[in-house]
Amino acid sequence: MDLEDQVVIPSASRAGGVQAPEEPPALPRRQVVLTMGGVMLAIFLSSLDQTVVGTAMPRIVSDLGGFDRFTWVTTAYLVASTTSVPIAGRLSDLFGRKSFYIWGIIIFLVGSALAGFSQTMNQLIMFRAIQGIGGGVMMAIAFISVGDLFPPSERGKYQGLVAAVFGLSSVIGPTMGGFITDNLSWNWIFFINIPLGTPIVLLFVRYFPHIRPSAPSHGLDYAGMVALILAVVPLLLGLSWGGVQYEWASPQVIGALVLSGLMTVLFVILEFRSPEPIMPFEIYRNRVVSISLIGSFLTGFGMFGAIIFIPLFFQGVLGASATSSGSFLTPMMLGIVVGAGLSGQALSRLGGHYRAQTLVGMALMGTGMALVSTMDQDTSYSRAIVYIVTMGFGLGITFPSLTISVQNAVPYRVMGVATSAIQFYRSIGGTMGLAILGSLMASRLSSSVFASLSDQVRQALPPEAVTEILNKPQALLNPEAMDNLRASFDRLGPQGAVVADQLLDTLRAS
């Protein structure tokens, strides 16, 4: 590391134990440009990995099984990244950004390699969690770094750039995931991170400024970190187990939810008492911040649910390939990008009407979701695209309006904490959305299929055979599996093809 890269920032004690530099350091322009380029690449890589898996999941389930754990491949990543965001942000405040950023990328790349070599669904889930730890560190410090590199008067210029990079990865991710899955294998959606991420590590080792406080005045909030982890993880485990692996009233589900509730209460108590809290509660006293965090939670719930389950609808119900299902998701992502761009411009040009724009965005998003809920096996591709674009456009409007309203409502000394809270609550909403929607899908699929089976199918298949198909519904996701299912009905003679079609139609409708 060059001596010119080491910048020591005097820290001042603040309310709630928050320590922050008075203003970002002045850095050489070349260093700022190269560092910002690396930050944009890191944002692209970490956000890409949240969307690239969606269109590959049907093929992964087909190869590894574990349909009941369908959502946990994404949930494991989100749980780990969500938990690591506030922890990484606080540690970087105390010890500097550079080393944490570099190690976050390295952990992400190691998790990617391990995920690519997974042989079982449980292995893939575990390695995705490792990926998520690195990805959470990358995302958290990326947004904090913008505040370090630029003074407050210039940060607004880069909001559009960040949104564009995030939007680009969201557009490319599903299509890339489908293309790689169809032409190589699903393993390569993880292996491809290695050549993309290695140059970022090298760039940061050379150019990322080593910005650090002169000396932290308080100890680290270890108890708060542990309590945060023990509050988030059991909550999401309980929501994912309920109605799928265990009954909602089972000791496992109730125990996980109760533990989460107790740890949440303990976390709040610890944070009020800690001199260096992981999440200072002073920001929640601001009404704009608290309302914006609720909005961020709800938009995350809808966004991640759509990214994961809409490709499943296109492949499993409408019969699209992995590649084409990704391309059908692209219009929704473009809707997000356009909505975010227009919303950001309107905030700057029309005087910052945060409340009105957020309400408009939420209304459009809700309308799109209501339309999506009406789709079935007879829905045309064009109508489905109009519905998801409406939802995406409304979602995009909320992104800059929520973030900028929070940044403008708090003093600079807590702006980083407040901005990280937006990420944290959006991710919590996403993970809870996946858990709840995944549980709902699994339970409703089973009950709907058994209620809708024709008499011919009931006579041809015993209940245990139908249950086996429901546990591994690859026939809707894999052409080879569909051919094998049809072949299994050949023993029924000429009626076999009719019975197989009836079963497939029932599965699609359910």
Side-chain angles (χ1 to χ4, degrees), residues 58-59 62-63 315 473-484:
R59 192 63 56 83
S62 179
D63 288 350
Q315 289 181 248
Q474 284 92 337
L476 293 179
L477 311 175
N478 188 318
E480 182 179 349
M482 183 179 295
D483 292 338
N484 292 336

Side-chain angles (χ1 to χ4, degrees), residues 2 92 155 162 168 238 335 342 364 368 372 379 386 406 449 462 475 495:
D2 293 345
S92 72
R155 288 178 197 140
V162 172
L168 179 63
L342 293 178
L364 282 174
V372 167
T379 300
V386 170
V406 167
V449 166
Q495 291 297 317

Side-chain angles (χ1 to χ4, degrees), residues 279 284 293 296-297 300 420-430:
M279 295 179 66
Y284 296 98
L293 293 179
S296 182
F297 173 89
S420 296
I422 285 285
Q423 296 180 61
F424 178 75
Y425 279 89
R426 183 177 292 127
S427 296
I428 285 286

Side-chain angles (χ1 to χ4, degrees), residues 397-451:
I397 291 175
T398 66
F399 280 173
S401 59
L402 290 173
T403 302
I404 295 175
S405 65
V406 167
Q407 290 181 339
N408 288 357
V410 299
Y412 173 72
R413 60 185 172 82
V414 293
M415 190 181 70
V417 176
T419 304
S420 296
I422 285 285
Q423 296 180 61
F424 178 75
Y425 279 89
R426 183 177 292 127
S427 296
I428 285 286
T431 50
M432 289 189 67
L434 289 174
I436 293 173
L437 295 175
S439 174
L440 181 65
M441 181 189 69
S443 60
R444 289 290 298 273
L445 175 64
S446 179
S447 61
S448 179
V449 166
F450 278 106

Side-chain angles (χ1 to χ4, degrees), residues 182-200:
D182 282 348
N183 293 278
L184 295 173
S185 70
W186 62 263
N187 311 78
W188 278 95
I189 66 174
F190 302 111
F191 291 147
I192 199 171
N193 290 329
I194 308 302
L196 293 177
T198 302
I200 302 175

Side-chain angles (χ1 to χ4, degrees), residues 7-15 17-27 89-97 143-152 155 209-217 276 410-417:
V7 183
V8 179
I9 304 297
S11 297
S13 297
R14 300 298 185 185
V18 177
Q19 291 188 344
E22 294 294 341
E23 59 184 36
L27 299 171
R90 193 70 193 109
L91 291 177
S92 72
D93 281 339
L94 296 175
F95 304 106
R97 324 280 191 215
F143 285 96
I144 298 171
S145 297
V146 173
D148 288 338
L149 295 172
F150 306 101
R155 288 178 197 140
H210 185 47
I211 301 172
R212 58 183 177 85
S214 57
S217 58
E276 293 285 1
V410 299
Y412 173 72
R413 60 185 172 82
V414 293
M415 190 181 70
V417 176

Side-chain angles (χ1 to χ4, degrees), residues 3 70 111 123 138-139 154 180 319 321 423 500 506:
L3 291 177
F70 177 93
Q123 287 181 5
M138 291 164 65
M139 290 294 289
E154 295 184 13
I180 293 174
S321 67
Q423 296 180 61
T506 299

Side-chain angles (χ1 to χ4, degrees), residues 341-411:
L342 293 178
S343 178
Q345 289 294 320
L347 287 172
S348 299
R349 296 175 182 273
L350 302 180
H353 300 289
Y354 309 123
R355 179 185 298 182
Q357 288 189 211
T358 302
L359 288 174
V360 169
M362 289 285 193
L364 282 174
M365 181 180 174
T367 300
M369 287 185 169
L371 293 172
V372 167
S373 73
T374 67
M375 297 194 306
D376 56 28
Q377 66 270 31
D378 297 321
T379 300
S380 66
Y381 285 110
S382 58
R383 185 150 59 101
I385 289 174
V386 170
Y387 292 171
I388 64 176
V389 167
T390 302
M391 180 172 62
F393 185 74
L395 179 61
I397 291 175
T398 66
F399 280 173
S401 59
L402 290 173
T403 302
I404 295 175
S405 65
V406 167
Q407 290 181 339
N408 288 357
V410 299

